[in-house]
Structures are given as C-alpha cells and as structure tokens.
Coordinates of all heavy atoms in Angstrom, one line a residue:
M1 N 0.6 -37.7 -38.5 CA 0.0 -36.9 -37.4 C 0.5 -35.5 -37.5 O 0.7 -34.8 -36.5 CB 0.4 -37.5 -36.1 CG -0.1 -36.7 -34.9 SD -1.2 -37.6 -34.0 CE -1.7 -36.4 -32.8
G2 N 0.7 -34.9 -38.7 CA 1.1 -33.6 -38.8 C -0.1 -32.6 -38.8 O -1.2 -33.0 -38.6
L3 N 0.2 -31.3 -38.9 CA -0.8 -30.3 -38.9 C -1.2 -29.9 -40.3 O -1.5 -28.8 -40.6 CB -0.4 -29.1 -38.1 CG -0.2 -29.3 -36.6 CD1 0.4 -28.1 -36.0 CD2 -1.5 -29.7 -36.0
D4 N -1.3 -30.9 -41.3 CA -1.6 -30.6 -42.6 C -3.1 -30.7 -42.9 O -3.5 -30.2 -43.9 CB -0.8 -31.5 -43.6 CG -1.0 -33.0 -43.3 OD1 -1.6 -33.3 -42.2 OD2 -0.6 -33.8 -44.1
S5 N -3.8 -31.2 -42.0 CA -5.3 -31.3 -42.2 C -6.0 -30.1 -41.6 O -5.6 -29.5 -40.6 CB -5.8 -32.6 -41.4 OG -7.2 -32.6 -41.5
M6 N -7.1 -29.7 -42.2 CA -7.9 -28.5 -41.8 C -8.5 -28.8 -40.4 O -8.6 -27.9 -39.6 CB -9.0 -28.3 -42.8 CG -9.8 -27.0 -42.5 SD -8.9 -25.5 -42.3 CE -8.7 -25.1 -44.0
W7 N -8.9 -30.0 -40.1 CA -9.4 -30.4 -38.8 C -8.5 -30.2 -37.7 O -8.8 -29.7 -36.6 CB -10.0 -31.8 -38.8 CG -11.2 -31.9 -39.6 CD1 -11.3 -32.5 -40.9 CD2 -12.5 -31.4 -39.3 NE1 -12.6 -32.4 -41.3 CE2 -13.3 -31.7 -40.4 CE3 -13.0 -30.7 -38.2 CZ2 -14.7 -31.4 -40.4 CZ3 -14.3 -30.3 -38.2 CH2 -15.1 -30.7 -39.3
H8 N -7.2 -30.4 -38.0 CA -6.2 -30.2 -36.9 C -6.1 -28.7 -36.6 O -6.0 -28.3 -35.4 CB -4.8 -30.7 -37.4 CG -4.7 -32.2 -37.4 ND1 -4.3 -32.9 -38.5 CD2 -4.9 -33.1 -36.4 CE1 -4.3 -34.1 -38.3 NE2 -4.7 -34.3 -37.0
W9 N -6.1 -27.9 -37.6 CA -6.0 -26.4 -37.4 C -7.3 -25.9 -36.6 O -7.2 -25.0 -35.8 CB -5.9 -25.6 -38.7 CG -4.5 -25.8 -39.3 CD1 -4.1 -26.5 -40.3 CD2 -3.3 -25.2 -38.7 NE1 -2.8 -26.4 -40.5 CE2 -2.2 -25.6 -39.5 CE3 -3.0 -24.3 -37.7 CZ2 -0.9 -25.2 -39.3 CZ3 -1.7 -23.9 -37.5 CH2 -0.7 -24.3 -38.3
I10 N -8.4 -26.4 -37.0 CA -9.7 -26.0 -36.3 C -9.7 -26.4 -34.8 O -10.0 -25.6 -33.9 CB -10.9 -26.6 -37.0 CG1 -11.0 -25.9 -38.4 CG2 -12.2 -26.3 -36.2 CD1 -12.1 -26.5 -39.3
I11 N -9.2 -27.6 -34.5 CA -9.2 -28.1 -33.2 C -8.2 -27.3 -32.4 O -8.4 -26.9 -31.2 CB -8.9 -29.6 -33.1 CG1 -10.1 -30.4 -33.7 CG2 -8.5 -30.0 -31.7 CD1 -9.8 -31.8 -33.9
L12 N -7.0 -27.0 -33.0 CA -6.0 -26.2 -32.3 C -6.5 -24.8 -32.0 O -6.3 -24.2 -31.0 CB -4.7 -26.1 -33.2 CG -3.6 -25.3 -32.6 CD1 -3.0 -26.0 -31.4 CD2 -2.5 -25.2 -33.7
L13 N -7.2 -24.2 -33.0 CA -7.8 -22.8 -32.7 C -8.8 -22.8 -31.6 O -8.8 -21.9 -30.8 CB -8.5 -22.3 -34.0 CG -9.1 -21.0 -34.0 CD1 -8.1 -19.9 -33.7 CD2 -9.8 -20.7 -35.3
V14 N -9.7 -23.8 -31.5 CA -10.6 -23.9 -30.4 C -10.0 -24.1 -29.1 O -10.3 -23.4 -28.1 CB -11.6 -25.1 -30.7 CG1 -12.5 -25.4 -29.5 CG2 -12.5 -24.8 -31.9
V15 N -8.9 -24.9 -29.0 CA -8.2 -25.1 -27.8 C -7.5 -23.8 -27.4 O -7.6 -23.4 -26.2 CB -7.2 -26.2 -27.9 CG1 -6.2 -26.3 -26.7 CG2 -7.9 -27.6 -28.1
V16 N -6.9 -23.0 -28.3 CA -6.3 -21.8 -28.0 C -7.3 -20.8 -27.5 O -7.1 -20.1 -26.5 CB -5.5 -21.2 -29.2 CG1 -5.1 -19.8 -29.0 CG2 -4.3 -22.1 -29.5
L17 N -8.5 -20.7 -28.1 CA -9.5 -19.8 -27.7 C -10.0 -20.1 -26.3 O -10.3 -19.3 -25.4 CB -10.7 -19.8 -28.6 CG -10.5 -19.1 -29.9 CD1 -11.7 -19.2 -30.9 CD2 -10.2 -17.6 -29.7
L18 N -10.1 -21.4 -26.0 CA -10.6 -21.9 -24.7 C -9.5 -21.6 -23.6 O -9.9 -21.2 -22.5 CB -10.9 -23.4 -24.6 CG -12.2 -23.8 -25.4 CD1 -12.3 -25.3 -25.4 CD2 -13.4 -23.2 -24.8
V19 N -8.3 -21.7 -23.9 CA -7.2 -21.5 -22.9 C -7.0 -20.0 -22.6 O -7.0 -19.6 -21.5 CB -5.9 -22.2 -23.4 CG1 -4.8 -21.8 -22.5 CG2 -6.1 -23.7 -23.4
F20 N -6.9 -19.3 -23.7 CA -6.5 -17.8 -23.5 C -7.8 -16.9 -23.4 O -7.7 -15.9 -22.8 CB -5.6 -17.4 -24.6 CG -4.3 -18.0 -24.6 CD1 -3.9 -19.0 -25.5 CD2 -3.4 -17.7 -23.6 CE1 -2.6 -19.5 -25.5 CE2 -2.1 -18.3 -23.5 CZ -1.8 -19.2 -24.5
G21 N -8.8 -17.2 -24.1 CA -10.0 -16.4 -24.1 C -9.8 -15.3 -25.2 O -8.8 -15.0 -25.6
T22 N -11.0 -14.7 -25.5 CA -10.9 -13.7 -26.6 C -10.3 -12.4 -26.2 O -9.7 -11.7 -27.0 CB -12.4 -13.5 -27.2 OG1 -13.2 -13.1 -26.1 CG2 -12.9 -14.8 -27.8
K23 N -10.5 -12.0 -25.0 CA -9.9 -10.7 -24.5 C -8.4 -10.7 -24.6 O -7.8 -9.7 -25.0 CB -10.4 -10.3 -23.1 CG -11.8 -9.8 -23.1 CD -12.1 -9.2 -21.7 CE -13.4 -8.6 -21.7 NZ -13.6 -7.9 -20.4
K24 N -7.8 -11.8 -24.1 CA -6.4 -11.8 -24.1 C -5.8 -11.8 -25.6 O -4.8 -11.2 -25.9 CB -5.8 -13.0 -23.4 CG -6.0 -12.9 -21.8 CD -5.4 -14.0 -21.1 CE -5.6 -13.9 -19.6 NZ -5.0 -15.0 -18.9
I25 N -6.5 -12.5 -26.4 CA -6.1 -12.6 -27.8 C -6.3 -11.3 -28.5 O -5.4 -10.9 -29.3 CB -6.8 -13.8 -28.5 CG1 -6.4 -15.1 -28.0 CG2 -6.5 -13.7 -30.0 CD1 -7.1 -16.3 -28.5
R26 N -7.3 -10.6 -28.2 CA -7.6 -9.3 -28.8 C -6.6 -8.2 -28.4 O -6.2 -7.4 -29.2 CB -9.0 -8.8 -28.3 CG -9.5 -7.6 -29.1 CD -10.9 -7.1 -28.7 NE -11.7 -8.3 -28.4 CZ -12.6 -8.3 -27.3 NH1 -12.7 -7.3 -26.5 NH2 -13.4 -9.3 -27.2
N27 N -6.1 -8.3 -27.1 CA -5.1 -7.4 -26.6 C -3.6 -7.8 -27.1 O -2.7 -7.1 -26.8 CB -5.1 -7.3 -25.1 CG -6.4 -6.6 -24.7 OD1 -7.0 -5.9 -25.4 ND2 -6.8 -6.9 -23.4
L28 N -3.5 -8.9 -27.7 CA -2.2 -9.4 -28.1 C -1.5 -8.5 -29.1 O -0.3 -8.2 -29.0 CB -2.3 -10.8 -28.6 CG -1.0 -11.5 -29.0 CD1 -0.1 -11.8 -27.8 CD2 -1.3 -12.8 -29.7
G29 N -2.2 -8.0 -30.1 CA -1.7 -7.1 -31.1 C -1.2 -5.8 -30.6 O 0.0 -5.5 -30.8
P30 N -1.9 -5.0 -29.9 CA -1.4 -3.8 -29.3 C -0.3 -4.0 -28.4 O 0.7 -3.2 -28.3 CB -2.6 -3.1 -28.6 CG -3.8 -3.7 -29.3 CD -3.4 -5.1 -29.7
D31 N -0.3 -5.0 -27.5 CA 0.7 -5.3 -26.6 C 2.0 -5.6 -27.3 O 3.1 -5.1 -26.9 CB 0.4 -6.4 -25.7 CG -0.7 -6.0 -24.7 OD1 -0.9 -4.8 -24.5 OD2 -1.3 -6.9 -24.1
L32 N 1.9 -6.4 -28.4 CA 3.1 -6.8 -29.2 C 3.7 -5.5 -29.9 O 4.9 -5.3 -29.9 CB 2.8 -7.9 -30.2 CG 3.9 -8.4 -31.0 CD1 4.9 -9.1 -30.1 CD2 3.3 -9.4 -32.0
G33 N 2.8 -4.7 -30.4 CA 3.2 -3.5 -31.1 C 4.0 -2.5 -30.1 O 5.0 -1.9 -30.5
A34 N 3.4 -2.4 -28.9 CA 4.1 -1.5 -27.9 C 5.4 -2.1 -27.5 O 6.4 -1.3 -27.3 CB 3.2 -1.4 -26.7
A35 N 5.5 -3.4 -27.4 CA 6.8 -4.0 -27.0 C 7.8 -3.8 -28.1 O 9.0 -3.4 -27.8 CB 6.6 -5.5 -26.7
I36 N 7.4 -3.9 -29.3 CA 8.4 -3.7 -30.5 C 8.8 -2.2 -30.5 O 10.0 -1.9 -30.7 CB 7.8 -4.1 -31.8 CG1 7.6 -5.7 -31.8 CG2 8.6 -3.7 -33.0 CD1 6.9 -6.2 -33.0
R37 N 7.9 -1.3 -30.3 CA 8.2 0.1 -30.3 C 9.1 0.5 -29.2 O 10.1 1.2 -29.4 CB 6.9 0.9 -30.1 CG 7.0 2.4 -30.5 CD 5.6 3.1 -30.5 NE 4.5 2.3 -31.1 CZ 3.5 1.8 -30.4 NH1 3.3 2.1 -29.1 NH2 2.5 1.1 -31.0
D38 N 8.9 0.0 -28.0 CA 9.8 0.2 -26.8 C 11.2 -0.4 -27.1 O 12.2 0.3 -26.7 CB 9.3 -0.4 -25.5 CG 8.1 0.4 -25.1 OD1 7.9 1.5 -25.5 OD2 7.3 -0.2 -24.2
F39 N 11.3 -1.5 -27.7 CA 12.6 -2.1 -28.1 C 13.3 -1.3 -29.1 O 14.5 -1.0 -28.9 CB 12.4 -3.5 -28.6 CG 13.6 -4.2 -29.1 CD1 14.5 -4.7 -28.2 CD2 13.9 -4.3 -30.4 CE1 15.7 -5.3 -28.6 CE2 15.1 -4.9 -30.8 CZ 16.0 -5.4 -29.9
K40 N 12.6 -0.7 -30.1 CA 13.3 0.1 -31.0 C 13.8 1.4 -30.4 O 14.9 1.9 -30.7 CB 12.3 0.5 -32.2 CG 12.1 -0.6 -33.1 CD 11.2 -0.2 -34.3 CE 10.9 -1.2 -35.3 NZ 10.0 -0.8 -36.4
K41 N 13.0 2.0 -29.4 CA 13.5 3.2 -28.7 C 14.7 2.9 -27.9 O 15.6 3.7 -27.8 CB 12.4 3.7 -27.8 CG 11.3 4.4 -28.6 CD 10.3 5.0 -27.6 CE 9.1 5.7 -28.3 NZ 8.1 6.2 -27.3
S42 N 14.7 1.8 -27.3 CA 15.9 1.5 -26.4 C 17.1 1.2 -27.2 O 18.3 1.5 -26.8 CB 15.6 0.3 -25.5 OG 15.5 -0.9 -26.3
V43 N 17.0 0.6 -28.4 CA 18.1 0.4 -29.3 C 18.7 1.7 -29.9 O 19.9 1.9 -29.9 CB 17.8 -0.6 -30.4 CG1 18.8 -0.7 -31.5 CG2 17.5 -2.0 -29.9
S44 N 17.8 2.6 -30.2 CA 18.2 3.9 -30.8 C 18.2 5.0 -29.8 O 17.8 6.1 -30.2 CB 17.4 4.2 -32.1 OG 16.1 4.4 -31.7
G45 N 18.5 4.8 -28.6 CA 18.4 5.8 -27.5 C 19.3 7.0 -27.8 O 19.0 8.1 -27.6
D46 N 20.6 6.7 -28.2 CA 21.5 7.8 -28.5 C 21.1 8.6 -29.7 O 21.2 9.9 -29.6 CB 22.9 7.2 -28.7 CG 23.5 6.5 -27.5 OD1 23.1 6.9 -26.4 OD2 24.3 5.6 -27.7
D47 N 20.5 8.0 -30.7 CA 20.1 8.8 -31.8 C 18.9 9.7 -31.5 O 18.8 10.8 -32.0 CB 19.7 7.8 -33.0 CG 20.8 7.0 -33.5 OD1 22.0 7.4 -33.3 OD2 20.6 5.9 -34.0
E48 N 18.1 9.2 -30.6 CA 16.9 10.1 -30.2 C 17.4 11.3 -29.5 O 16.9 12.4 -29.8 CB 16.0 9.3 -29.3 CG 14.7 10.0 -29.0 CD 13.8 9.1 -28.2 OE1 13.7 7.9 -28.5 OE2 13.1 9.7 -27.3
A49 N 18.4 11.2 -28.7 CA 18.9 12.4 -28.0 C 19.5 13.4 -28.9 O 19.3 14.6 -28.8 CB 19.9 12.0 -26.9
K50 N 20.2 12.9 -29.9 CA 20.8 13.7 -30.9 C 19.8 14.4 -31.7 O 19.9 15.6 -32.1 CB 21.8 12.9 -31.8 CG 23.0 12.5 -31.1 CD 23.9 11.6 -32.0 CE 25.1 11.1 -31.3 NZ 25.9 10.2 -32.2
Q51 N 18.7 13.7 -32.1 CA 17.6 14.3 -32.8 C 16.9 15.4 -32.0 O 16.6 16.5 -32.6 CB 16.6 13.2 -33.2 CG 17.1 12.3 -34.3 CD 16.1 11.2 -34.6 OE1 15.1 11.0 -33.9 NE2 16.3 10.4 -35.7
K52 N 16.7 15.2 -30.8 CA 16.1 16.2 -30.0 C 17.0 17.5 -29.9 O 16.5 18.6 -29.9 CB 15.8 15.7 -28.6 CG 14.6 14.8 -28.5 CD 14.4 14.4 -27.1 CE 13.2 13.4 -27.0 NZ 12.9 13.0 -25.6
E53 N 18.3 17.3 -29.7 CA 19.2 18.4 -29.7 C 19.2 19.2 -31.0 O 19.2 20.4 -31.0 CB 20.6 17.9 -29.4 CG 21.6 19.0 -29.2 CD 23.0 18.4 -28.8 OE1 23.1 17.5 -28.0 OE2 24.0 18.9 -29.4
A54 N 19.3 18.5 -32.1 CA 19.2 19.1 -33.4 C 17.9 19.8 -33.6 O 17.9 21.0 -34.2 CB 19.4 18.1 -34.5
E55 N 16.8 19.3 -33.2 CA 15.5 20.0 -33.3 C 15.5 21.3 -32.4 O 15.0 22.3 -32.9 CB 14.4 19.0 -32.8 CG 13.0 19.6 -32.9 CD 12.5 19.9 -34.3 OE1 13.1 19.3 -35.2 OE2 11.6 20.7 -34.5
A56 N 16.1 21.2 -31.2 CA 16.1 22.4 -30.4 C 17.0 23.5 -31.0 O 16.6 24.7 -31.0 CB 16.7 22.1 -29.0
K57 N 18.1 23.1 -31.6 CA 19.0 24.1 -32.3 C 18.2 24.7 -33.5 O 18.3 25.9 -33.8 CB 20.3 23.5 -32.8 CG 21.2 23.2 -31.7 CD 22.5 22.6 -32.2 CE 23.5 22.3 -31.1 NZ 24.7 21.7 -31.6
R58 N 17.5 23.9 -34.3 CA 16.8 24.4 -35.4 C 15.7 25.3 -35.0 O 15.5 26.4 -35.6 CB 16.1 23.2 -36.2 CG 15.5 23.6 -37.5 CD 14.7 22.5 -38.1 NE 13.5 22.0 -37.3 CZ 12.4 22.7 -37.2 NH1 12.2 23.8 -37.8 NH2 11.4 22.2 -36.4
Q59 N 15.0 25.0 -33.9 CA 13.9 25.9 -33.5 C 14.5 27.2 -33.0 O 13.9 28.3 -33.2 CB 13.1 25.3 -32.3 CG 12.2 24.2 -32.9 CD 11.4 23.5 -31.7 OE1 11.7 23.8 -30.6 NE2 10.4 22.7 -32.1
E60 N 15.7 27.2 -32.3 CA 16.3 28.4 -31.9 C 16.7 29.3 -33.0 O 16.5 30.5 -33.0 CB 17.5 28.1 -31.0 CG 18.2 29.3 -30.4 CD 19.4 28.9 -29.6 OE1 19.4 27.8 -29.0 OE2 20.3 29.7 -29.5
A61 N 17.3 28.7 -34.0 CA 17.7 29.4 -35.2 C 16.5 30.0 -36.0 O 16.5 31.1 -36.5 CB 18.5 28.5 -36.2
E62 N 15.4 29.3 -36.0 CA 14.2 29.7 -36.6 C 13.6 30.9 -35.9 O 13.1 31.9 -36.4 CB 13.2 28.6 -36.7 CG 12.1 28.8 -37.7 CD 11.2 27.5 -37.7 OE1 11.7 26.6 -38.4 OE2 10.2 27.5 -37.1
H63 N 13.7 30.9 -34.5 CA 13.2 32.0 -33.7 C 14.0 33.2 -33.9 O 13.5 34.3 -34.0 CB 13.2 31.5 -32.2 CG 12.9 32.7 -31.3 ND1 11.6 33.1 -31.2 CD2 13.6 33.4 -30.4 CE1 11.5 34.1 -30.3 NE2 12.7 34.3 -29.8
L64 N 15.3 33.1 -34.0 CA 16.2 34.3 -34.3 C 15.9 34.8 -35.7 O 16.0 36.1 -35.8 CB 17.6 33.9 -34.2 CG 18.1 33.6 -32.7 CD1 19.6 33.2 -32.7 CD2 17.9 34.8 -31.8
R65 N 15.6 34.0 -36.6 CA 15.3 34.6 -38.0 C 14.0 35.4 -37.9 O 13.8 36.4 -38.6 CB 15.2 33.5 -39.0 CG 16.4 33.4 -39.9 CD 16.2 32.4 -41.0 NE 16.4 31.1 -40.5 CZ 15.7 30.0 -40.8 NH1 14.6 30.1 -41.5 NH2 16.0 28.8 -40.2
A66 N 13.0 34.8 -37.2 CA 11.7 35.5 -37.1 C 11.7 36.8 -36.3 O 11.1 37.8 -36.6 CB 10.7 34.5 -36.5
D67 N 12.5 36.8 -35.2 CA 12.6 37.9 -34.3 C 14.0 38.3 -34.1 O 14.6 37.9 -33.1 CB 11.9 37.6 -32.9 CG 10.4 37.2 -33.1 OD1 9.8 37.8 -34.0 OD2 10.0 36.5 -32.3
P68 N 14.6 39.0 -35.0 CA 16.1 39.4 -34.8 C 16.2 40.3 -33.6 O 15.3 41.0 -33.2 CB 16.4 40.1 -36.1 CG 15.1 40.6 -36.6 CD 14.1 39.6 -36.2
P69 N 17.3 40.2 -32.9 CA 17.6 41.0 -31.8 C 17.6 42.5 -32.2 O 18.0 42.9 -33.2 CB 19.0 40.6 -31.3 CG 19.5 39.7 -32.3 CD 18.5 39.4 -33.2
V70 N 17.0 43.3 -31.3 CA 16.9 44.8 -31.5 C 18.3 45.5 -31.2 O 18.9 45.2 -30.2 CB 15.8 45.4 -30.6 CG1 15.7 46.9 -30.8 CG2 14.5 44.7 -30.9
D71 N 18.7 46.3 -32.1 CA 19.9 47.1 -32.0 C 19.6 48.3 -31.2 O 19.0 49.2 -31.7 CB 20.6 47.4 -33.3 CG 21.9 48.1 -33.2 OD1 22.5 48.1 -32.1 OD2 22.4 48.6 -34.2
T72 N 19.9 48.4 -29.9 CA 19.5 49.5 -29.0 C 20.2 50.8 -29.3 O 19.6 51.8 -29.2 CB 19.8 49.1 -27.6 OG1 21.2 48.8 -27.4 CG2 18.9 48.0 -27.1
T73 N 21.4 50.8 -29.8 CA 22.1 52.0 -30.2 C 21.4 52.7 -31.4 O 21.3 53.9 -31.4 CB 23.6 51.8 -30.5 OG1 23.7 50.8 -31.6 CG2 24.3 51.2 -29.3
R74 N 21.1 51.9 -32.3 CA 20.4 52.5 -33.5 C 19.0 53.0 -33.2 O 18.6 54.0 -33.7 CB 20.3 51.4 -34.6 CG 19.7 51.9 -35.9 CD 19.8 50.8 -36.9 NE 19.0 51.2 -38.1 CZ 18.2 50.5 -38.7 NH1 18.0 49.2 -38.4 NH2 17.5 50.9 -39.8
A75 N 18.3 52.3 -32.3 CA 17.0 52.7 -31.9 C 17.0 54.0 -31.1 O 16.2 54.9 -31.3 CB 16.3 51.7 -31.1
N76 N 18.0 54.2 -30.3 CA 18.2 55.4 -29.5 C 18.5 56.6 -30.4 O 18.1 57.7 -30.2 CB 19.3 55.3 -28.4 CG 18.8 54.3 -27.3 OD1 17.6 54.2 -27.1 ND2 19.7 53.8 -26.6
T77 N 19.4 56.4 -31.4 CA 19.8 57.5 -32.3 C 18.5 57.9 -33.1 O 18.3 59.1 -33.3 CB 20.9 57.0 -33.3 OG1 21.9 56.5 -32.5 CG2 21.3 58.1 -34.2
T78 N 17.8 57.0 -33.6 CA 16.6 57.4 -34.3 C 15.6 58.1 -33.5 O 15.0 59.1 -33.9 CB 15.9 56.1 -34.9 OG1 16.9 55.3 -35.6 CG2 14.8 56.4 -35.9
Q79 N 15.4 57.7 -32.2 CA 14.5 58.4 -31.4 C 15.0 59.8 -31.0 O 14.2 60.7 -31.0 CB 14.3 57.6 -30.1 CG 13.3 58.1 -29.1 CD 11.9 58.1 -29.7 OE1 11.6 57.2 -30.5 NE2 11.1 59.1 -29.4
S80 N 16.2 60.0 -30.8 CA 16.8 61.3 -30.5 C 16.7 62.2 -31.7 O 16.4 63.4 -31.6 CB 18.2 61.2 -30.0 OG 19.1 60.7 -31.0
Q81 N 16.8 61.7 -32.9 CA 16.7 62.5 -34.1 C 15.2 63.0 -34.3 O 14.9 64.1 -34.7 CB 17.1 61.7 -35.4 CG 18.6 61.5 -35.5 CD 18.9 60.6 -36.6 OE1 18.1 60.0 -37.2 NE2 20.2 60.5 -36.9
R82 N 14.3 62.1 -33.9 CA 12.8 62.4 -34.0 C 12.5 63.5 -33.0 O 11.8 64.5 -33.3 CB 12.0 61.2 -33.7 CG 11.9 60.3 -34.8 CD 10.9 59.2 -34.6 NE 11.2 58.0 -35.4 CZ 10.9 56.8 -35.1 NH1 10.3 56.5 -34.0 NH2 11.2 55.8 -36.0
D83 N 13.1 63.4 -31.8 CA 12.9 64.4 -30.7 C 13.4 65.8 -31.1 O 12.8 66.8 -30.9 CB 13.5 63.9 -29.4 CG 12.8 62.7 -28.8 OD1 11.6 62.5 -29.2 OD2 13.4 62.0 -28.0
S84 N 14.6 65.8 -31.7 CA 15.2 67.0 -32.1 C 14.4 67.7 -33.2 O 14.3 68.9 -33.3 CB 16.7 66.9 -32.4 OG 16.8 66.0 -33.6
S85 N 13.9 67.0 -34.1 CA 13.1 67.6 -35.2 C 11.8 68.1 -34.8 O 11.2 69.0 -35.3 CB 13.0 66.5 -36.3 OG 12.1 65.5 -35.9
E86 N 11.2 67.6 -33.7 CA 9.9 68.0 -33.2 C 10.1 69.4 -32.5 O 9.2 70.2 -32.5 CB 9.3 67.0 -32.2 CG 8.9 65.7 -33.0 CD 8.4 64.7 -32.0 OE1 8.4 64.9 -30.8 OE2 8.0 63.6 -32.5
T87 N 11.2 69.6 -31.9 CA 11.4 70.8 -31.1 C 11.6 72.0 -32.0 O 11.4 73.2 -31.6 CB 12.5 70.7 -30.1 OG1 13.7 70.3 -30.8 CG2 12.3 69.6 -29.0
K88 N 12.0 71.8 -33.2 CA 12.3 73.0 -34.1 C 11.1 73.6 -34.6 O 10.1 73.6 -34.8 CB 13.2 72.5 -35.3 CG 14.6 72.2 -34.8 CD 15.4 71.8 -36.0 CE 16.7 71.4 -35.6 NZ 17.6 71.0 -36.7

C-alpha cells in the first residue's frame, strides 16, 4: 500500500485539489517565496544596516568628488583682482 503506483499519485493530487482549490495552490509559490525572503532579512538584519551605512558613506564621498567645496578666500581674491584691473 505504498505510493509507488501512478494511480495513488493521481488520486492524491485530485484530493489535494478538492481540499485546497486551485487559487490557494496557485498562491502557494509567491507566499512561500515571500516567507523565505523575510526570513533571510531577519537573519541578516545587522548586515543590512551595515550595508546601508556603507552605501551612504560611498554616496557622500561621491558627491564630494563631483562637487568639491568652494574655497571662498580664493574666490574673493580673484574677484578683487578682476575689479582692480577693470578700473585702470
């Protein structure tokens, strides 16, 4: 009385379809995937926070490289030199 016969598997499949219905079985895959994804997030929670922090530091460094801070003393000197040359 094992499940080695094809008829046993077919009868078992029909019973499962009748009990659960096709909608519940169709939603089983995405629900299982979401549960596994949430479990992985909860296990690696500390790593995720560290990754976000590292990403924020990388973006800040990238921003500073793209837009370096303006040296106001140098800008004022250059402007005053331009003004003095125009008056002559």
Side-chain angles (χ1 to χ4, degrees):
M1 175 117 186
L3 292 176
D4 54 350
S5 173
M6 182 58 80
W7 288 107
H8 288 126
W9 286 107
I10 292 173
I11 292 171
L12 181 65
L13 180 64
V14 169
V15 169
V16 168
L17 285 175
L18 289 174
V19 170
F20 292 110
T22 57
K23 280 191 173 185
K24 288 184 180 179
I25 293 175
R26 190 178 323 138
N27 292 337
L28 183 67
D31 290 343
L32 184 63
I36 291 172
R37 198 174 315 117
D38 289 341
F39 177 74
K40 285 182 179 179
K41 282 182 183 179
S42 67
V43 168
S44 65
D46 294 334
D47 295 335
E48 186 176 320
K50 289 178 184 177
Q51 287 176 350
K52 285 183 181 179
E53 184 179 318
E55 179 68 22
K57 286 182 181 179
R58 185 189 62 77
Q59 286 180 350
E60 182 179 332
E62 199 172 282
H63 176 71
L64 288 177
R65 253 188 282 136
D67 299 329
V70 178
D71 186 13
T72 56
T73 58
R74 184 172 171 226
N76 290 339
T77 306
T78 309
Q79 184 64 31
S80 64
Q81 288 174 351
R82 285 186 200 153
D83 291 340
S84 64
S85 64
E86 288 177 2
T87 56
K88 290 182 182 180

